[in-house]
Amino acid sequence: MTGPGIWFRRYRGAVAPRVRLVCFPHAGGNARLFHGWAPRLPADVELLAVRYPGRQERMDEPCVETMDEMAGRVSEALDPERDLPLVLFGHSMGAAVAYEVAVRLEGPAAEGPGPALLLLSGRSAPHRGRSTALHRAADDVLVAGVTRLGTLGGDAYAVPELRELLLPVLRADYRLIETYDRQTPPVLRAPVVAYLGDRDPGVTRPGIEAWSELTEGEFMVRSFPGDHFYLAPREAELTADIAQRLARLPVAGHAQRVL
C-alpha cells in the first residue's frame, strides 16, 4: 500500500460520518492502541488511527526521527480527509505531534479549515516540558525510563525477541520527541482539552495546564485515575468524555461551544 492512506488505520462508524477523530499514539506505540475506541464513539464519528513508519504494516520503512518531518508528512496525508471537521487526539509523544499537525493545518499555506478541536493527553505543553536524553542512553536505561511511566506494553521489553524488535522504534521515537524544541510555540485557534492521569510521573499539572497558553479558544483540563498510561484501563471513561464533546461539535463552522 502506498500514498497518504498508509498513514491511517480507518475505523468507519456511519456510512456518512459527521466528524473525523484522528488519534496519534505515544512513543513506541502503534495504531492498535485505539482499536477498541470505534464502538465506544458515536456512530457518525470516523476514527483514523495514525500509523507511524517502522512498525506493524510499515515495519520495512525507516522510522521518522524529527518532529518537522513527522508532522509535515501526517499533515499532507490528512489533506484528502479535510472535507469533514477534524478532531485530533494525541497521547504523550502523540500529543506533541497532534499539536504540530494542528499548527500546519491552521497555517497560512494550508487549504481548508483547521482542526475543530484538539484533545492532548499525557504531555506537557512544549514550552513547559522537562528536557531528557533517553534516546542516547543504554538500552536498559531507555527501557527503565519507559517502564517507570506505567505498565502499558512494558512486559514486552522483557521478552528478548520482542525487545530486539521494539527497541529501535522506541529509540527513534524518543529521538524525535527529545530533540523537539519549541521555546515560543504558535498559538492555535482551535479549542483544547488536556487530559492526564492523576499519578503520572512523567508530567506535572502546571505543565498540562500550560496548553491553555497555546489556544485562543476554550481550554479545559480533565484528569483520570492512573499513571501515564491511564487511557488503557480508563478507556471507557475517556472515550465517553470524548464522545460527549464530539456530539456537541458543530458540523459547519467551529465558533460554537464544544467543550
Side-chain angles (χ1 to χ4, degrees):
M1 182 179 181
T2 59
I6 190 62
W7 279 92
F8 308 112
R9 178 170 294 163
R10 189 180 303 266
Y11 298 93
R12 292 197 180 274
V15 174
R18 184 180 63 90
V19 61
R20 289 192 175 98
L21 175 63
V22 185
C23 295
F24 297 74
H26 55 280
N30 57 61
R32 184 168 173 76
L33 176 67
F34 305 105
H35 78 280
W37 283 34
R40 297 183 183 274
L41 295 171
D44 58 359
V45 174
E46 184 177 65
L47 174 63
L48 305 184
V50 178
R51 299 193 287 197
Y52 302 139
R55 64 213 80 189
Q56 294 188 307
E57 300 92 337
R58 307 186 69 180
M59 190 174 297
D60 293 337
E61 299 179 48
C63 294
V64 175
E65 298 186 357
T66 69
M67 179 64 80
D68 190 58
E69 181 182 356
M70 181 71 84
R73 293 177 67 184
V74 176
S75 300
E76 291 176 2
L78 279 173
D79 277 344
E81 311 296 341
R82 298 176 71 183
D83 57 316
L84 294 175
L86 295 180
V87 174
L88 310 184
F89 174 94
H91 179 66
S92 196
M93 179 189 84
V97 179
Y99 164 77
E100 287 293 334
V101 168
V103 168
R104 287 155 177 79
L105 294 182
E106 285 194 358
E111 297 182 3
L117 176 64
L118 262 70
L119 308 171
L120 306 176
S121 168
R123 182 81 190 172
S124 296
H127 59 309
R128 294 289 185 268
R130 295 176 291 189
S131 178
T132 59
L134 284 172
H135 70 279
R136 295 199 297 265
D139 289 351
D140 289 345
V141 176
L142 174 59
V143 170
V146 173
T147 55
R148 67 174 280 273
L149 296 175
T151 56
L152 182 64
D155 292 344
Y157 295 103
V159 180
E161 295 81 4
L162 291 177
R163 180 185 174 103
E164 182 178 355
L165 185 67
L166 297 174
L167 264 176
V169 172
L170 181 66
R171 189 176 296 279
D173 285 354
Y174 264 74
R175 184 176 294 111
L176 181 153
I177 197 60
E178 290 181 332
T179 58
Y180 168 55
D181 185 18
R182 273 284 200 188
Q183 295 304 311
T184 54
V187 176
L188 299 171
R189 296 186 298 273
V192 172
V193 181
Y195 296 99
L196 76 158
D198 61 4
R199 297 188 302 279
D200 188 338
V203 299
T204 64
R205 181 83 182 206
I208 288 287
E209 291 175 343
W211 284 109
S212 65
E213 302 168 20
L214 302 184
T215 177
E216 296 173 353
E218 294 182 89
F219 176 78
M220 180 178 293
V221 175
R222 177 72 196 275
S223 67
F224 292 91
D227 57 27
H228 187 67
F229 296 110
Y230 75 91
L231 73 173
R234 299 292 172 178
E235 180 177 278
E237 297 96 320
L238 175 60
T239 53
D241 183 90
I242 293 172
Q244 291 177 3
R245 300 182 194 280
L246 296 181
R248 295 196 294 268
L249 194 71
V251 175
H254 306 149
Q256 296 101 312
R257 183 179 179 86
V258 296
L259 299 189

